[in-house]
Amino acid sequence: MSFKVIDGDGPGREESDRKQDQQFSRDEFLWAIRDCAANMLRIIRGAGKPYELMRQMQMALSTSAKF
């Protein structure tokens, strides 16, 4: 059986790059917000790092703006 190459209407390179950038931004935001939330829960239990909380919140805000 032989295969025939055809010219299709698949996503262009620019669209593919844009989707990849969106996925990276989304993943970066999710990581930042999870890290912040986990630290908040640990602080409530007395085992977190309150001195890291402001940096984590700033990271979550900046990555949300990218997303």
Side-chain angles (χ1 to χ4, degrees), residues 8-51:
D9 262 358
R13 177 79 174 158
E14 292 174 1
E15 184 180 344
S16 177
D17 288 346
R18 184 180 56 82
K19 285 184 179 183
Q20 188 176 14
D21 288 344
Q22 282 179 338
Q23 183 66 35
F24 179 76
S25 296
R26 180 180 182 273
D27 291 344
E28 190 177 29
F29 170 66
L30 290 176
W31 179 85
I33 200 78
R34 286 176 183 158
D35 192 36
C36 185
N39 191 25
M40 284 182 189
L41 291 172
R42 282 190 224 107
I43 290 171
I44 291 170
R45 298 182 72 197
K49 299 177 183 176
Y51 55 88

